[in-house]
Amino acid sequence: MIPEGGMGSMHAMAMDPVVTAASHNPLLTTLAAEVKKAHLTGTLNSAQKITVFAPDNAAFRKLTAHDMSMMSGMAELARTLRYHVVSGSVTPAELASGMTLTTLEGGQLKTAKMGSTYEVNHAAVTCGNLHTANATVYIINAVLMPAG
């Protein structure tokens, strides 16, 4: 799913800050565009040691009309995107342990491992423990919505 070499590859992602890396990864271009639209690129690219649960392009296509309208305003979009980011580098073992993480938005994410599938709030991790210059990235198959 991730290119073997060149832009968007694991090696290239490791050299770039998280949003720049996502913009070059063919699975994460929608996320990168939404982060840019929400004016969070500088914030996330300059943050140190964060973990991003990054919805893939297909996850954005699965959003309902109601969810899309909830994210149409700049403040709500930024809030939803911050809900996908936590401070610190979360390891696969920590994900599997069923820990609760506090997001930059202030909400909670619950991690789990069901069989061989890692989950965050019931979204499956499809590819994980990717490293960028400033973040650990787990690609997930759903857009997570903060409560309230």
Side-chain angles (χ1 to χ4, degrees), residues 53 83 86 99-101 103 107-111 120-121 144:
F53 297 99
Y83 187 64
V86 300
M99 66 190 306
T100 299
L101 303 167
T103 70
Q108 305 285 303
L109 297 177
K110 182 72 174 153
T111 68
V120 179
N121 284 15
L144 307 173

Side-chain angles (χ1 to χ4, degrees), residues 10 18 75 89 131:
M10 290 176 69
V18 67
S89 298
H131 297 279

Side-chain angles (χ1 to χ4, degrees), residues 64-144:
T64 65
H66 174 74
D67 290 339
M68 290 294 286
S69 69
M70 292 292 294
M71 291 178 20
S72 63
M74 179 89 70
E76 273 307 306
L77 177 59
R79 180 174 176 250
T80 300
L81 294 171
R82 284 193 310 270
Y83 187 64
H84 291 78
V85 183
V86 300
S87 293
S89 298
V90 178
T91 67
E94 289 171 326
L95 270 186
S97 73
M99 66 190 306
T100 299
L101 303 167
T102 300
T103 70
L104 296 187
E105 177 270 339
Q108 305 285 303
L109 297 177
K110 182 72 174 153
T111 68
K113 186 176 180 192
M114 306 302 244
S116 62
T117 304
Y118 292 88
E119 295 183 347
V120 179
N121 284 15
H122 304 292
V125 174
T126 58
C127 186
N129 204 25
L130 304 171
H131 297 279
T132 71
N134 68 324
T136 302
V137 176
Y138 291 91
I139 299 175
I140 57 175
N141 69 351
V143 175
L144 307 173

